[in-house]
Amino acid sequence: MTKKITLAIMALAVLCCISASADPVKIKGVYNNNRYDDHANHWYSTYVGWNSTLGKAIFVVENGIYAMEVDGNTVSTPEKEPPVVISDFYSNGQFTNDNMALWATNFNLMYGNSGAVNANGVITTVTSRTESDGVDSTNIFAVRHWNAETGDLLNATDEYYPKTAWLESAGMCQNPVDGKVYGLFYLTDVPLPDEIINDPDFYGDSIDSGYAICTIDLESMEVTPITPGLYYENFVTFAINSEGRAFAMTSGATAGYEGEDGKMYDINGNLTGAQLYEFDLATGLMIATPVQAIDEESGETYITYVSPYEHTGYCSQAKRQSACFSKKDPNKMYWNGFYNSGMGYDANGNWNPLPDSSWKTNGKYDTALYEVDITTGEATRIAMIDNRFTFSCMWVVEDDEPVAVDGDVNGDGFVTSVDITALYNWLLNGDDSAIVNGDQDKDGSITTGDVTYVYNILLNGGE
């Protein structure tokens, strides 16, 4: 089939669109310990016994990989997957499977309080420690790697990195377009370059670098900044969609009042709270809108840059949380945030932390799953998450499996001319970046027959 004929088919095919029905979405994530009980933040664990063969005490903890299902406006209770069942390795006071006992107790180490990411089926967790934990600045970060399906710990020994490794992040994510892992990392104790501080257009009180878009090599854990920092918003997530666009949410823990729609507004009646930001991964720069502002002290005007998105009206907290996209819908971001900011007005009308004594009624530690439309920045609270779960990272399961729509080549849930374009690009120059289910006619290879197959579906719904 010639290029001319193929382009003609593409032009005709754009007139047709067959959509797939919305199926439940399964999301998995690495548990992060933000739970709360009647006493305090608590790390739940069960002591099983001393394993003399392994030479260690075996505990079963709540840490691990959890799965939940999103169906419309409902979210199922997160369940550990794979599950840890004590009777599988211990019964009648004896250990029956030492390897499984070790596997179970290793989840005690699956903790990403400084960030986590699932890349190519391997979860990397970054655990930060402090000097109060008995460590010095040369081994602040503990890094571990895990099989994302089985939960197996892949490290032969723990990996430790110094404070200067910059491994603290608001989140990390693998870019489906180029395969690299990016993150929004905080450049600890790093001043901004002189060329920025001395720039007449630079306006700011801080010379600390703040957050920067960086790439990270998960083998060496080397972080490479794309920009020298500059971002000081209280970012709490980082996610990249199937088109290679990167987004972050702020916590939005600001004062305000709750409207009839359940969203937070400021004194002027404008939406407040968390806000969506987008970053250009090529330059590392925030995609922002310039606005004129006036310094309250000097009265001088200056140009500042703000997100083109409005506030969501939902206030979260400055604690570990996460976000992810389904590859089948690049415009919908799932965000695991808190139900509120943990702040509120007290009896005297002052804006203060909500009391821990009434956390069950004030929702201080409640969490929720939100859906964020990146075309508008608008957020919708899908549902609260049972048992107040938060995750260090999340991902949508089975994103790469062919969808149940005949003719859907790129796996976006629709049959459109984009599917023919994907096949055409493959036939022309071997670009298979958009191919998910390319061999439509099942002849064992991608040929012009597949183009014809999809074209016939677009034209009349069949071959």
Side-chain angles (χ1 to χ4, degrees):
M1 181 178 293
T2 65
K3 176 179 178 180
K4 183 175 181 181
I5 294 175
T6 304
L7 291 174
I9 291 175
M10 290 167 57
L12 179 60
V14 78
L15 298 176
C16 306
C17 178
I18 303 172
S19 63
S21 59
D23 295 322
V25 175
K26 183 178 181 180
I27 296 176
K28 296 180 77 171
V30 175
Y31 167 90
N32 191 70
N33 182 33
N34 276 334
R35 300 279 292 283
Y36 198 79
D37 65 10
D38 287 313
H39 305 289
N41 280 311
H42 190 70
W43 195 308
Y44 294 79
S45 66
T46 299
Y47 175 66
V48 179
W50 175 263
N51 187 302
S52 57
T53 302
L54 298 173
K56 62 169 44 184
I58 302 300
F59 290 86
V60 170
V61 298
E62 289 204 330
N63 288 29
I65 304 168
Y66 283 77
M68 58 186 175
E69 189 171 274
V70 184
D71 191 358
N73 60 355
T74 63
V75 178
S76 66
T77 300
E79 295 183 0
K80 186 177 284 191
E81 191 177 298
V84 176
V85 181
I86 294 177
S87 61
D88 286 344
F89 58 86
Y90 184 86
S91 64
N92 298 321
Q94 300 291 328
F95 284 96
T96 58
N97 189 320
D98 293 334
N99 289 333
M100 185 165 285
L102 180 60
W103 168 81
T105 203
N106 278 342
F107 283 116
N108 179 61
L109 304 174
M110 185 180 276
Y111 186 40
N113 66 333
S114 283
V117 63
N118 177 10
N120 300 320
V122 175
I123 296 169
T124 298
T125 56
V126 180
T127 305
S128 62
R129 305 171 301 166
T130 64
E131 294 178 2
S132 63
D133 297 321
V135 300
D136 58 37
S137 61
T138 63
N139 59 356
I140 289 292
F141 298 107
V143 174
R144 300 178 180 93
H145 308 280
W146 314 77
N147 184 301
E149 285 296 320
T150 65
D152 290 338
L153 178 61
L154 303 178
N155 294 52
T157 58
D158 287 344
E159 302 171 9
Y160 295 106
Y161 296 86
K163 184 178 180 180
T164 53
W166 305 333
L167 295 180
E168 179 72 35
S169 73
M172 297 177 281
C173 188
Q174 185 174 32
N175 185 350
V177 175
D178 62 15
K180 297 179 182 179
V181 176
Y182 295 79
L184 195 52
F185 293 88
Y186 197 87
L187 305 188
T188 307
D189 296 336
V190 178
L192 286 170
D194 289 340
E195 60 265 25
I196 291 180
I197 298 175
N198 298 329
D199 188 330
D201 292 330
F202 174 70
Y203 192 93
D205 297 327
S206 175
I207 59 172
D208 180 47
S209 289
Y211 282 104
I213 295 293
C214 309
T215 59
I216 181 170
D217 183 329
L218 295 180
E219 292 187 6
S220 65
M221 298 305 292
E222 181 179 359
V223 172
T224 304
I226 300 175
T227 56
L230 282 178
Y231 305 125
Y232 308 100
E233 285 77 4
N234 199 0
F235 295 113
V236 290
T237 70
F238 181 77
I240 304 174
N241 71 2
S242 60
E243 297 172 342
R245 297 173 62 188
F247 297 87
M249 294 295 299
T250 62
S251 67
T254 57
Y257 68 91
E258 186 173 326
E260 294 181 358
D261 58 0
K263 295 187 176 184
M264 295 294 290
Y265 292 83
D266 64 20
I267 193 172
N268 297 315
N270 299 316
L271 281 173
T272 185
Q275 193 171 16
L276 182 68
Y277 283 80
E278 181 176 3
F279 293 88
D280 183 336
L281 292 181
T283 63
L285 297 177
M286 182 187 294
I287 298 176
T289 302
V291 295
Q292 191 176 75
I294 300 177
D295 180 64
E296 295 180 357
E297 295 182 359
S298 67
E300 296 179 358
T301 60
Y302 63 97
I303 300 297
T304 187
Y305 293 86
V306 300
S307 171
Y309 300 106
E310 296 292 335
H311 292 271
T312 63
Y314 294 112
C315 293
S316 189
Q317 300 183 24
K319 296 180 179 180
R320 179 63 52 184
Q321 45 206 282
S322 57
C324 68
F325 286 90
S326 167
K327 293 178 182 177
K328 298 169 185 175
D329 190 344
N331 293 327
K332 181 191 297 183
M333 184 174 77
Y334 295 101
W335 165 36
N336 164 220
F338 285 83
Y339 188 82
N340 60 39
S341 66
M343 304 284 289
Y345 292 103
D346 61 21
N348 298 318
N350 298 316
W351 185 255
N352 283 314
L354 295 171
D356 286 348
S357 59
S358 55
W359 66 269
K360 289 183 179 179
T361 55
N362 64 29
K364 183 173 183 177
Y365 296 99
D366 291 347
T367 60
L369 187 68
Y370 299 85
E371 178 184 303
V372 182
D373 183 345
I374 67 164
T375 65
T376 64
E378 183 178 359
T380 302
R381 184 185 288 140
I382 300 174
M384 294 178 63
I385 300 177
D386 289 345
N387 299 323
R388 302 168 300 284
F389 271 83
T390 59
F391 301 97
S392 301
C393 69
M394 299 193 306
W395 62 94
V396 175
V397 178
E398 299 172 351
D399 245 359
D400 292 324
E401 292 191 1
V403 297
V405 178
D406 214 13
D408 182 20
V409 175
N410 68 340
D412 64 356
F414 302 91
V415 181
T416 69
S417 60
V418 174
D419 299 297
I420 294 183
T421 303
L423 290 169
Y424 167 70
N425 287 333
W426 167 255
L427 291 169
L428 186 66
N429 53 28
D431 177 15
D432 64 349
S433 60
I435 296 290
V436 173
N437 192 23
D439 186 17
Q440 288 290 316
D441 61 4
K442 304 298 185 289
D443 66 353
S445 60
I446 301 175
T447 65
T448 55
D450 300 299
V451 179
T452 304
Y453 185 95
V454 178
Y455 164 68
N456 285 331
I457 289 178
L458 288 167
L459 188 64
N460 54 30
E463 291 185 290

